[in-house]
Amino acid sequence: MIRQTLVHQRKTKKQKLMGYIVAGELPAELGNLNLVAFNVHRNGLSGSIPFSMFNISTLEIIDMGGNYFSGYLPSMMGFSLPNLQELYLGINRLSGVIPSSITNASKLTALDTGTNFLTGTIPNFGSLRLLQIFSIGGNNLIGDSWRFFSSLTNCRYLKFLVVSETKLSGVLPASIGNLSASFQRFSAFGCNIKGAIPAEIGNLSSLEYLLLDSNQLTGFIPSTIGKLKSLQRIDISINKLEGYIPAELCQLSNLGDMDVSDNMVNGSIPVCLGELKSLRNVHLGFNKLESTVPLKFWNLTDLLRLNLSHNSLSGNLPSEIGNLNVIVDIDFSWNQFSGNIPSSVGKFQSLVSLSFAHIINLQSLNLSFNDFSGLIPKSLEELKYLEHYVSHNRLEGEIPIGGHFAKFTAQSFMQNYALYSETRQQFPPCGKVHKRSRSKNVVSLMKYILPPIITVILAVTILLIVRQPKSKKYAPQSGISLHLAWRRISYRELEEATNAFVESNILGSGSFGSVYGGILSDGLNVAVKV
């Protein structure tokens, strides 16, 4: 039974009814209505779709996607829907075959039967010349060829084609280059496609998305992809492609996402990739890339994610890496980089993940005065040439004792949250770390609360001193007046002068105790009378 139905009717030449079903099953009586559009998208409906629904000749739009409908589709459905323009049945539990009669609905512009349990082969859809959206992915469709594919060349308005996660296998035909001039998105990942990517794919001048990952593709990356001037995303990862990354990819001025990972691509990273300012995500990991990373590559100031892991890249990482202003994830692991990690890494404001794992030639790692938290990875013990480390952060846990860590001084780890060590006297042993860990939140809170409070108290106190009448007892005996000079110092200087507002340096001792005159606070700048 239908628990609730909300009906909106609009009177035109034909009666139009939009249905919104909250839950339950569809009644067969719906087939008695002269509907133009029927929409129950994502309503948690179940049961079989009444066959009577497919006998409403006035229907133009059917959207039953995102439910739990089961059963199969009637074999003659296409003959009784002459006015049907859009049919959405995706994300359900439908079984059986795709009825070949659907090809008789000649006005069809959108057909989505994706993510169901449909089986069998794919009908020839060449007669649907108005078709724009065609999605059949996520089913158990089988076949050893792409014969249906050639029929789609008759669909001169086709824009989206989704056949991902089917069991089509076979080889992509060269006829892919004859698809519609307005063809924009091709998704065919996880189809067990074999063979090479046809060079004819370069004819799809309007293509924006090319998703061919998780297949069995071999051969080279065709240089003709460089002709796809509208391409925004290319994913050919998890295949068996080899050869070089073609420099022609640098002609894709709209490319935002590039994933070539998990292949056998070799050679170097094209220098010209650093000129693609549109790039946001670059994944080149798990290949055989070698040589150094081009210096121009660090000009990609809007890059969000970069994965170069599991290659044979070498050389030093330059200070220009700091140009990656908005980077979130970086993975340089399992390469042969050497030298120092540049201090410009500390400029990353949005960084969430940074991996240098298994870079055994690393000589210097200085991440001090940042906001890193968590544990110190024990894998860093394997870095044979490491020299410096991570003071003034929020790290906790046991300090590694293997490798060169045994030679590091306590200064390399000072001013962290809850580091402990059984071998270093400057740090508490394991048994006492829990007490310190519980207090770390208080310490962190006080770090931000105390400075402004102390500054205000000092300012008020010293202003009161300045305004008090000077006693004659201490008046100058000579006729020379004392001229007071003023200098503005930054909040940073004040913090350094008090060693980050350590208690022993405040209110009468340390740097504050040596300052005479008044202090006036105006935000981040402080005027000190000297």
Side-chain angles (χ1 to χ4, degrees):
M1 294 294 294
I2 301 177
R3 298 180 184 173
Q4 181 179 359
T5 303
L6 300 177
V7 178
H8 168 70
Q9 300 185 34
R10 184 179 67 182
K11 292 190 176 181
T12 56
K13 292 182 179 179
K14 298 180 181 179
Q15 186 184 43
K16 177 173 288 190
L17 178 145
M18 301 296 292
Y20 182 87
I21 312 298
V22 174
E25 299 182 4
L26 295 178
E29 289 79 8
L30 284 173
N32 299 326
L33 301 175
N34 292 325
L35 303 177
V36 174
F38 183 72
N39 186 342
V40 290
H41 182 76
R42 295 185 65 179
N43 278 280
L45 292 166
S46 57
S48 299
I49 300 174
F51 281 10
S52 60
M53 288 293 301
F54 298 105
N55 290 324
I56 305 175
S57 60
T58 55
L59 270 174
E60 297 177 1
I61 300 174
I62 299 177
D63 190 348
M64 302 184 187
N67 287 286
Y68 302 97
F69 290 123
S70 57
Y72 59 94
L73 300 173
S75 59
M76 306 301 288
M77 61 180 292
F79 293 109
S80 54
L81 297 169
N83 294 299
L84 190 63
Q85 298 175 20
E86 301 175 27
L87 176 59
Y88 304 101
L89 300 174
I91 316 179
N92 277 291
R93 298 174 178 177
L94 299 172
S95 56
V97 301
I98 300 176
S100 59
S101 65
I102 193 65
T103 60
N104 289 280
S106 58
K107 294 183 180 180
L108 205 60
T109 61
L111 174 60
D112 179 8
T113 61
T115 315
N116 278 285
F117 299 102
L118 299 173
T119 58
T121 57
I122 302 173
N124 186 324
F125 286 93
S127 60
L128 301 179
R129 297 181 181 274
L130 301 179
L131 195 63
Q132 299 180 32
I133 300 173
F134 183 33
S135 174
I136 56 174
N139 282 289
N140 296 319
L141 301 169
I142 59 174
D144 57 359
S145 67
W146 289 66
R147 285 176 294 181
F148 81 95
F149 204 86
S150 297
S151 71
L152 293 177
T153 59
N154 295 324
C155 307
R156 304 315 302 166
Y157 301 97
L158 188 65
K159 293 182 179 180
F160 300 165
L161 175 59
V162 180
V163 294
S164 298
E165 295 185 321
T166 58
K167 299 179 180 179
L168 294 176
S169 68
V171 177
L172 279 178
S175 59
I176 189 174
N178 297 326
L179 291 176
S180 164
S182 58
F183 190 53
Q184 296 177 7
R185 301 192 180 193
F186 181 37
S187 178
F189 60 84
C191 293
N192 198 33
I193 305 173
K194 299 178 175 64
I197 301 175
E200 289 79 2
I201 201 168
N203 297 337
L204 304 176
S205 58
S206 298
L207 194 65
E208 297 176 356
Y209 281 38
L210 177 60
L211 309 179
L212 297 174
D213 53 294
S214 305
N215 282 294
Q216 301 292 323
L217 293 170
T218 56
F220 305 135
I221 302 173
S223 60
T224 53
I225 290 181
K227 297 165 60 178
L228 306 178
K229 304 299 184 183
S230 299
L231 197 64
Q232 299 175 21
R233 181 183 178 189
I234 178 172
D235 190 343
I236 50 178
S237 63
I238 316 178
N239 279 289
K240 299 179 180 179
L241 297 169
E242 52 188 348
Y244 302 113
I245 297 175
E248 286 78 2
L249 294 184
C250 300
Q251 301 172 17
L252 305 177
S253 57
N254 293 305
L255 190 63
D257 295 349
M258 176 183 178
D259 195 340
V260 190
S261 60
D262 282 277
N263 280 286
M264 296 183 289
V265 176
N266 54 37
S268 58
I269 299 174
V271 175
C272 55
L273 280 183
E275 300 173 2
L276 287 182
K277 300 297 185 180
S278 57
L279 280 174
R280 298 295 180 268
N281 301 288
V282 176
H283 300 275
L284 304 177
F286 290 88
N287 278 291
K288 298 180 179 180
L289 296 172
E290 52 192 8
S291 188
T292 60
V293 180
L295 191 60
K296 278 189 176 181
F297 195 80
W298 310 117
N299 293 333
L300 301 176
T301 55
D302 294 322
L303 201 62
L304 296 174
R305 293 173 179 83
L306 173 62
N307 191 329
L308 302 178
S309 67
H310 291 79
N311 281 288
S312 297
L313 297 168
S314 58
N316 298 333
L317 293 174
S319 60
E320 283 79 3
I321 191 176
N323 295 336
L324 307 181
N325 297 323
V326 294
I327 196 74
V328 174
D329 295 319
I330 301 178
D331 194 344
F332 291 141
S333 62
W334 292 92
N335 277 288
Q336 299 175 13
F337 292 120
S338 58
N340 301 336
I341 294 179
S343 59
S344 56
V345 170
K347 297 179 180 179
F348 297 150
Q349 299 297 317
S350 304
L351 191 64
V352 174
S353 175
L354 174 63
S355 177
F356 293 99
H358 295 277
I359 305 178
I360 60 175
N361 292 326
L362 188 64
Q363 296 177 12
S364 177
L365 177 61
N366 192 343
L367 303 179
S368 300
F369 293 96
N370 276 288
D371 204 28
F372 293 114
S373 60
L375 304 176
I376 300 175
K378 286 187 67 63
S379 59
L380 290 176
E381 293 179 347
E382 301 177 13
L383 302 180
K384 299 179 180 179
Y385 307 107
L386 193 64
E387 294 178 356
H388 300 90
Y389 202 44
V390 287
S391 62
H392 296 82
N393 278 288
R394 296 189 297 119
L395 297 169
E396 55 187 297
E398 184 177 9
I399 299 174
I401 59 176
H404 276 219
F405 277 88
K407 301 179 181 179
F408 292 166
T409 65
Q411 293 299 119
S412 299
F413 308 100
M414 296 302 290
Q415 297 295 319
N416 275 287
Y417 264 169
L419 291 177
Y420 62 88
S421 174
E422 298 294 342
T423 60
R424 298 176 181 270
Q425 296 181 354
Q426 299 89 342
F427 297 90
C430 180
K432 296 184 178 180
V433 73
H434 300 293
K435 180 178 180 181
R436 185 173 181 179
S437 297
R438 286 194 299 268
S439 65
K440 67 181 181 181
N441 290 331
V442 177
V443 173
S444 178
L445 185 62
M446 297 303 290
K447 172 183 176 182
Y448 295 103
I449 293 179
L450 277 179
I453 293 177
I454 293 172
T455 302
V456 172
I457 293 174
L458 286 172
V460 172
T461 302
I462 298 175
L463 278 174
L464 291 175
I465 294 174
V466 170
R467 292 181 179 181
Q468 287 181 354
K470 291 183 172 60
S471 172
K472 294 182 179 180
K473 178 179 179 180
Y474 297 101
Q477 298 300 316
S478 67
I480 303 175
S481 61
L482 179 63
H483 296 279
L484 299 177
W486 292 83
R487 182 173 70 85
R488 301 182 75 86
I489 66 171
S490 68
Y491 182 85
R492 178 69 175 177
E493 290 178 284
L494 185 59
E495 183 182 31
E496 291 179 353
T498 61
N499 195 14
F501 300 99
V502 174
E503 184 178 357
S504 61
N505 293 322
I506 296 175
L507 296 177
S509 62
S511 300
F512 275 110
S514 63
V515 175
Y516 61 92
I519 299 181
L520 302 176
S521 173
D522 63 342
L524 293 180
N525 293 314
V526 179
V528 180
K529 188 180 294 184
V530 296

